[in-house]
Amino acid sequence: MPPRRAHHLLQLPCPAPGCARWFRNQSGLTQHRRSLHPNIPAPGPPQPSRSPSHPRDFSPPPPDFSPPPRDFSQPPQPSPPMPSEPTHEDSDNADAEFTDSSERCYRTYHSMLNGRPCTADGEFLPHGAPPTPMPQKAPDDWSPYRNRIEFEAAEFAFKKCHMSAKNLDFLCDLMAATLVKHRDVPPFADHKDLHNVIDATQLGDVPWQSFSVQYTGERPEVVPPWMDDKFDVWYRDPRAMAHNILANPTFKDEINYTPFREYDASDKTRRWKDFMSGDWAWKQSDIISKDPETHGSVLVPIILGSDKTTVSVGTGNNEYYPLYASIGNVRNSVRRAHRDALVIIGFLAIPKTDKKHSKDDAFRIFRRQLFHSSLSAILSSLKSAMTEYEVVRCGDGHFRRIIYSLGPYIADYEEQLVLSCIVKHWCPKCIAVRTNLDNGGMDRCHEHTEFLIGELHGDVLWDEFGIIGDLVPFTNDFPRADIHELLSFDLLHQLIKGAFKDHLVDWVAKYLKAVHGTRQAEEIMSDIDRRVAAAPSFSGLRRFPQGRDFKQWTGDDSKALMKVFLPAIEGHVPGDMVRAFRALLEFCYLAWRDVVTEDTLNQMQDALHRFHRYRQIFDLVVPTFSLPRQHSMIHYTDMIRLFGAPNGLCSSITESKHIKAVKEPWRWSSRHNALGQMLVTNQRLDKLAASRVDFDARGMLTGTILSSALAALTPDEDEQAVPPIAPQPDAHAIEPQPDIDIDDGEVVDGPTVLGYVVLAKTPQRKRARTVAALAHEVAVPDLRRLIRHFLFTQLNQDDPRDPADVPTGSLPRHEGKLQVFNSAAATFFAPSDLSGTGGMRREHIRACPLWRNEYPRNDCVFIDTDSDAQGMRGLEVVRIVCFFSFKHNWEVYPCALIHWFEKIDDCADEDTGMWMVRPSFHEGGSRNLAVIHIETVFRAAHLIPMYGSEYIPHDLKFYHSIDCFRSFYVNKFADHHAFEIAS
């Protein structure tokens, strides 16, 4: 048996100021320093080297951003600071105006509800006064834990792994056996001890409460069983939950205390982004500020969302009805990033009865009214603070006066009908006739509905206005609340799963069957499935190996199909049908933008008009286009003006929360009386999250658990704890691990920068190490010449000559070694996609001879050529042949050998709206290749073949698509960032 390796304690701290990382060996520290702190000199004699690719603190681009030429000779410049809340000198008497040069915009802030800091008694502080001091805790106060080890062990066992009680007991016994000879004890005695310590946490402690509801109306002679049943509703105080969100110090820079209006600095047009930039918050503030006592307060809109979810497809009571809450002050990026800004506040009752009574009108009315009565009871604690302020400490340490209002409600169409007390097939936002919704109608409002209920019979209300007059919406119990206005947009269910998946995709199959007959239609649909399956790999792209014909569709499946379906049907369906899909997709992608401008709204209206025009091609198989989900598109521009960008109020946010708040706690339960166990689990998770926030805010979680333990040792203890590490034989050395497959992309928390690309940390030892060997490996005989051309452009950036025109003897030479890499990582600003709070996202670009031990993979990318070419923001598309780096005159050059692609036309395709490209070849038929600097790479590009009208082979694999076809669409629907740069 070979000698075993000892546990390597973390012994080497990172020398960068503010970085708390520790490393086991010098190699790990060196890699970390080079990738994250390239400007920090290495210990020892300085080695001259070219600064590797690193984040460039450019300002975040607006939606119509064009990447500027990159000047490699200049160091990165820091971004201007993001706009802050107005100072009180500016905002006491008039709307304040502030300019943000980083986004080329300026803001005006509400002058009355401007969030002035105050004391705990509500007395306003002088301008510039520091926050009221918080009660100080000892720097080593880990209460209720004894030390950091206990807290991290509890978080690891309960939150990250959620060990069963049996496994937890075994782990405690295992640790006790290890520590017994040192006369020490493990962090916890058993699972009960661990749970008791978590339960003793006071931070984040909002206990669950319940009430029961029972039918109290008139009873028939034969009483149905549901009238005698009691229905339990569990909830947590939403006011206390709002306090926790407001007081969270991690949100202090991601929260808006004042409603504002944002304008483009160049043309003075409006921009909408976060919720507080919308007109609804401004109008609410105008109404509230009519009372002088509210001046200087903060408007806190309570955003709600509910949706039934099933935790198992098995039998039994496995359906739950969670209720979520957030506040409109936190920025959309925080709410979408699932950073505890959306919390579960209740589980609503789901009344059920036998089939005999399930369709009774009385039961249906009771079930809906139970929903409204439950919401009214749960939210009742907020009511008093909707007219008179309360004082709450916020995350920046200041106290502020708080006024609550009921904000938007996130719900799908079926839920919106229940909320608005509207009949199915009618619009809950306007009184358009259900048989012709797109003709539009007056917006619904609370006053108009109440007037109709008082004047008309219930049957007339139902038939002519779609109103259920027997129901009272919960918003009637709260000031300034109109349920018709508060219903928000729902991109996921209205557009992605509704208009796209359930409507257009299904209509294609019906159309083909009506035109070609069942047999030929099935052949065409089979070819469409093969085309969908043949889409090349791309970061974040979900694969459909058998096409789109499967039963259990999720929202993520529908989103993935949107990315590849349009090119798959082209050639098999009429052009107007392709244009209808394009118009709908463009509307969806425009609506999903992180920042919506007046120009965006105009583009959305244009896409909507085109969609209405081209969808008429389906009239052969569609009896009516009066469909509520498609009709909802008419209201999007008005709702954006009210509530800001739609991506902050999408039901995909609440559906993602189902996993952590409902489904995982259910799986961790014993299944017997699961709801009670789920409530306890959620409460413990919240307490652990609150403890982490508190400890981190006090600087108690710097470094790792091991590095902090080492730092706490005395010198004598240190000598005993860190024994010399015996050298290990080379035969048992650990080889570098291959690149990790992270094809779904990564969310990156950190500063906002334009973008950067770096090679993988580890070169491939089994690949070529010289120019000649690499030329042979990639079958590029003139690689040496391409490298010399590359060096000429790098060393003579002011020389306008083409390297091909320079005499060979005047070109620089490189005959030394090189290193080959299988991948590179592109990090870029993509706030409209799943990203960190700064809007940053990372994807991996592959160029390896054998991917997953099955096939070679060579991704395509966008590159910046500093040209004035039109289309795709001046970017070009290339395919990566390989990544490599070499050192020339002590400077390291990270490079890519690329195959150029050329645009087929000077404009995008008229039907699909996508640019068309093809591989570029020289006159002799050889590939048009070049060596480029890695910094010219912008990000990955997704190409989809132009299939035409011919059937594709049954055995075509997706990894052969780029090699088997000769022309491609640049897929602007690959993700939202691609839509910005490839439109």
Side-chain angles (χ1 to χ4, degrees):
M1 178 178 176
R4 295 182 57 184
R5 294 187 302 117
H7 182 262
H8 289 200
L9 294 180
L10 302 176
Q11 302 175 83
L12 302 174
C14 176
C19 184
R21 293 287 303 276
W22 285 60
F23 298 89
R24 299 170 188 249
N25 51 50
Q26 185 64 46
S27 175
L29 173 59
T30 301
Q31 291 185 12
H32 167 77
R33 181 180 52 78
R34 288 178 176 174
S35 61
L36 295 183
H37 311 295
N39 296 322
I40 302 297
Q47 298 293 328
S49 64
R50 192 181 195 276
S51 295
S53 303
H54 52 277
R56 296 170 174 255
D57 281 333
F58 299 130
S59 59
D64 58 351
F65 167 76
S66 299
R70 305 186 186 187
D71 184 357
F72 303 139
S73 63
Q74 298 297 324
Q77 299 298 319
S79 301
M82 295 295 289
S84 60
E85 297 294 321
T87 58
H88 307 298
E89 292 90 344
D90 296 323
S91 59
D92 280 344
N93 301 310
D95 294 347
E97 182 174 300
F98 297 88
T99 301
D100 174 25
S101 59
S102 68
E103 292 198 18
R104 300 193 293 273
C105 65
Y106 67 92
R107 293 177 176 180
T108 59
Y109 289 86
H110 200 277
S111 59
M112 299 301 179
L113 264 66
N114 49 19
R116 290 185 59 182
C118 63
T119 66
D121 297 327
E123 298 295 327
F124 289 124
L125 293 174
H127 300 306
T132 304
M134 297 182 66
Q136 294 296 316
K137 294 183 179 180
D140 59 348
D141 182 6
W142 293 91
S143 301
Y145 308 95
R146 286 176 289 202
N147 48 51
R148 178 174 179 174
I149 295 177
E150 282 198 0
F151 167 69
E152 299 235 23
E155 187 181 49
F156 174 78
F158 189 85
K159 183 176 182 178
K160 296 182 180 179
C161 299
H162 202 88
M163 294 182 181
S164 65
K166 183 178 180 180
N167 288 344
L168 263 174
D169 290 344
F170 177 77
L171 180 62
C172 291
D173 290 345
L174 194 65
M175 297 173 68
T178 305
L179 298 171
V180 66
K181 75 173 185 176
H182 299 288
R183 300 184 181 277
D184 205 348
V185 295
F188 301 99
D190 51 26
H191 73 276
K192 292 182 180 180
D193 183 32
L194 183 144
H195 292 163
N196 289 336
V197 172
I198 297 176
D199 292 339
T201 305
Q202 297 300 313
L203 295 169
D205 187 16
V206 183
W208 286 94
Q209 309 173 58
S210 70
F211 59 84
S212 297
V213 183
Q214 187 176 16
Y215 178 78
T216 58
E218 296 183 2
R219 292 170 174 261
E221 294 182 2
V222 180
V223 179
W226 61 267
M227 289 188 177
D228 293 326
D229 292 339
K230 290 185 177 180
F231 302 96
D232 294 330
V233 176
W234 287 88
Y235 72 100
R236 292 193 283 187
D237 184 2
R239 192 164 169 177
M241 302 300 285
H243 291 176
N244 287 345
I245 297 175
L246 285 167
N248 192 328
T250 61
F251 298 157
K252 65 180 181 180
D253 298 322
E254 304 290 343
I255 196 166
N256 297 307
Y257 295 113
T258 309
F260 61 92
R261 289 172 175 167
E262 190 168 278
Y263 300 87
D264 189 282
S266 59
D267 56 12
K268 315 301 182 186
T269 57
R270 280 285 298 275
R271 293 158 42 107
W272 293 268
K273 185 179 181 183
D274 299 312
F275 179 80
M276 297 298 279
S277 69
D279 292 339
W280 182 89
W282 193 282
K283 292 176 181 177
Q284 285 280 307
S285 299
D286 285 342
I287 297 172
I288 294 171
S289 61
K290 291 179 181 179
D291 180 1
E293 293 297 318
T294 64
H295 292 184
S297 301
V298 177
L299 170 65
V300 176
I302 303 298
I303 297 175
L304 300 169
S306 59
D307 182 27
K308 293 180 184 177
T309 184
T310 302
V311 295
S312 171
V313 295
T315 58
N317 187 17
N318 51 27
E319 190 177 28
Y320 294 93
Y321 206 161
L323 174 67
Y324 301 103
S326 181
I327 61 174
N329 308 82
V330 295
R331 294 174 181 167
N332 288 354
S333 58
V334 176
R335 197 176 300 113
R336 288 165 48 212
H338 314 299
R339 286 177 48 195
D340 301 319
L342 181 75
V343 295
I344 187 167
I345 63 168
F347 282 91
L348 304 176
I350 306 177
K352 294 183 178 180
T353 187
D354 52 40
K355 289 186 178 181
K356 178 180 178 180
H357 301 96
S358 62
K359 295 184 179 180
D360 290 350
D361 289 341
F363 177 70
R364 290 180 173 180
I365 294 296
F366 170 74
R367 186 172 56 190
R368 290 193 173 197
Q369 193 59 61
L370 170 62
F371 173 82
H372 286 279
S373 300
S374 299
L375 287 178
S376 182
I378 292 172
L379 300 172
S380 60
S381 65
L382 295 166
K383 191 171 182 178
S384 61
M386 290 182 173
T387 51
E388 297 181 2
Y389 67 80
E390 68 168 343
V391 179
V392 177
R393 188 187 287 274
C394 299
D396 61 356
H398 279 294
F399 286 98
R400 287 181 174 85
R401 298 176 176 183
I402 302 298
I403 297 285
Y404 298 102
S405 276
L406 291 187
Y409 203 113
I410 304 172
D412 60 17
Y413 176 67
E414 286 74 15
E415 192 96 352
Q416 288 182 355
L417 295 179
V418 177
L419 286 160
S420 58
C421 308
I422 296 298
V423 180
K424 191 174 183 179
H425 303 305
W426 288 77
C427 175
K429 300 286 291 184
C430 69
I431 60 173
V433 180
R434 69 181 181 88
T435 56
N436 193 5
L437 290 174
D438 288 340
N439 261 7
M442 182 181 73
D443 288 343
R444 295 184 187 270
C445 67
H446 167 71
E447 292 80 5
H448 183 252
T449 300
E450 291 298 311
F451 172 79
L452 293 177
I453 291 175
E455 296 294 326
L456 301 177
H457 188 271
D459 292 341
V460 178
L461 290 171
W462 184 289
D463 295 333
E464 296 187 15
F465 294 94
I467 298 173
I468 305 175
D470 297 323
L471 297 174
V472 181
F474 76 97
T475 49
N476 284 18
D477 296 333
F478 299 91
R480 307 183 304 276
D482 186 337
I483 189 58
H484 303 294
E485 180 185 47
L486 294 179
L487 294 176
S488 76
F489 18 51
D490 182 11
L491 288 166
L492 178 62
H493 290 94
Q494 291 172 342
L495 302 187
I496 298 172
K497 295 177 71 173
F500 173 74
K501 168 60 178 63
D502 295 339
H503 295 166
L504 265 63
V505 173
D506 289 348
W507 292 353
V508 168
K510 294 179 180 178
Y511 178 88
L512 292 174
K513 187 175 293 187
V515 173
H516 300 287
T518 302
R519 184 172 181 177
Q520 188 176 354
E522 290 178 349
E523 292 179 357
I524 295 175
M525 289 305 299
S526 295
D527 188 62
I528 291 175
D529 286 341
R530 290 194 296 273
R531 293 180 177 191
V532 169
S537 299
F538 185 72
S539 178
L541 182 66
R542 182 172 296 217
R543 302 225 55 82
F544 294 92
Q546 306 302 322
R548 34 134 289 277
D549 192 17
F550 55 94
K551 295 181 180 179
Q552 194 69 27
W553 276 85
T554 66
D556 288 338
D557 293 329
S558 298
K559 292 177 185 177
L561 188 63
M562 290 179 74
K563 300 178 180 182
V564 297
F565 195 69
L566 183 58
I569 64 172
E570 201 240 349
H572 283 318
V573 299
D576 280 1
M577 198 171 292
V578 176
R579 296 187 187 102
F581 271 93
R582 171 193 171 184
L584 177 64
L585 293 181
E586 289 180 345
F587 184 93
C588 294
Y589 278 66
L590 288 167
W592 197 267
R593 280 183 171 172
D594 181 60
V595 177
V596 179
T597 65
E598 290 282 2
D599 183 60
T600 306
L601 297 181
N602 293 334
Q603 293 180 54
M604 290 175 63
Q605 287 297 107
D606 175 67
L608 181 59
H609 293 154
R610 286 187 283 116
F611 175 66
H612 286 168
R613 179 168 74 250
Y614 291 126
R615 72 177 177 180
Q616 299 300 322
I617 190 70
F618 291 107
D619 60 3
L620 179 65
V621 294
V622 179
T624 179
F625 293 111
S626 185
L627 302 167
R629 288 180 177 84
Q630 290 190 23
H631 164 72
S632 68
M633 298 165 68
I634 290 177
H635 298 294
Y636 267 59
T637 54
D638 289 337
M639 285 193 286
I640 288 172
R641 290 187 171 95
L642 279 178
F643 301 139
N647 64 9
L649 294 174
C650 181
S651 62
S652 60
I653 300 174
T654 56
E655 289 211 350
S656 297
K657 191 70 174 180
H658 285 340
I659 298 173
K660 296 295 183 183
V662 182
K663 296 186 177 182
E664 287 185 353
W666 181 85
R667 295 189 192 107
W668 298 339
S669 72
S670 67
R671 312 294 198 273
H672 177 66
N673 292 330
L675 181 57
Q677 300 170 60
M678 293 161 62
L679 301 179
V680 173
T681 297
N682 273 286
Q683 191 165 7
R684 287 171 177 166
L685 290 173
D686 287 344
K687 290 185 174 186
L688 284 169
S691 294
R692 171 162 283 276
V693 169
D694 176 57
F695 297 151
D696 189 50
R698 290 192 279 146
M700 300 166 65
L701 294 177
T702 56
T704 66
I705 180 64
L706 190 53
S707 65
S708 65
L710 287 172
L713 293 177
T714 63
D716 292 339
E717 292 174 324
D718 195 20
E719 292 179 4
Q720 298 174 11
V722 188
I725 299 172
Q728 302 296 324
D730 291 341
H732 305 295
I734 304 301
E735 289 291 330
Q737 296 298 311
D739 294 332
I740 300 174
D741 176 19
I742 315 178
D743 262 16
D744 285 341
E746 301 174 69
V747 168
V748 179
D749 284 323
T752 297
V753 298
L754 174 62
Y756 59 95
V757 180
V758 294
L759 295 177
K761 294 181 179 179
T762 307
Q764 297 301 305
R765 294 188 176 183
K766 296 182 179 181
R767 297 193 64 181
R769 299 192 181 186
T770 65
V771 175
L774 182 59
H776 176 75
E777 179 182 311
V778 299
V780 181
D782 57 347
L783 177 61
R784 181 177 284 103
R785 176 181 60 85
L786 298 176
I787 292 177
R788 296 181 71 179
H789 287 179
F790 165 76
L791 280 174
F792 177 83
T793 59
Q794 291 294 304
L795 300 175
N796 303 276
Q797 295 188 16
D798 296 331
D799 194 326
R801 290 180 296 173
D802 188 328
D805 298 332
V806 178
T808 304
S810 300
L811 294 173
R813 303 171 64 88
H814 173 72
E815 302 295 343
K817 295 182 178 181
L818 50 75
Q819 294 180 319
V820 180
F821 301 82
N822 278 353
S823 68
T827 305
F828 49 91
F829 181 71
S832 299
D833 290 295
L834 185 61
S835 56
T837 54
M840 300 303 295
R841 181 172 178 80
R842 178 177 296 129
E843 66 186 7
H844 291 255
I845 305 167
R846 313 288 179 179
C848 54
L850 193 62
W851 176 245
R852 292 175 175 168
N853 293 322
E854 187 175 358
Y855 56 90
R857 177 170 172 181
N858 297 89
D859 291 344
C860 298
V861 298
F862 293 104
I863 67 168
D864 179 12
T865 58
D866 296 347
S867 68
D868 297 327
Q870 298 298 315
M872 295 193 296
R873 304 294 193 264
L875 300 172
E876 298 290 341
V877 175
V878 301
R879 190 180 187 189
I880 303 294
V881 178
C882 71
F883 291 112
F884 65 98
S885 69
F886 63 91
K887 185 179 292 185
H888 180 79
N889 290 342
W890 299 103
E891 289 197 20
V892 176
Y893 291 92
C895 307
L897 175 63
I898 56 102
H899 182 191
W900 290 101
F901 279 60
E902 60 187 13
K903 295 185 179 73
I904 294 177
D905 208 339
D906 293 334
C907 59
D909 178 62
E910 183 179 359
D911 290 342
T912 63
M914 292 186 280
W915 286 86
M916 301 168 289
V917 297
R918 61 190 171 204
S920 177
F921 295 91
H922 294 297
E923 292 183 359
S926 60
R927 293 180 295 174
N928 185 4
L929 304 174
V931 173
I932 62 173
H933 198 285
I934 194 68
E935 287 189 342
T936 61
V937 176
F938 190 53
R939 62 154 302 185
H942 190 223
L943 303 188
I944 296 185
M946 298 174 62
Y947 298 109
S949 58
E950 299 296 326
Y951 290 3
I952 68 173
H954 287 71
D955 59 349
L956 178 67
K957 302 296 184 182
F958 68 92
Y959 45 82
H960 292 149
S961 295
I962 299 295
D963 296 315
C964 291
F965 291 87
R966 290 294 174 263
S967 54
F968 305 88
Y969 289 117
V970 180
N971 186 13
K972 69 177 184 180
F973 301 113
D975 56 40
H976 298 284
H977 185 255
F979 182 78
E980 305 290 347
I981 64 176
S983 292

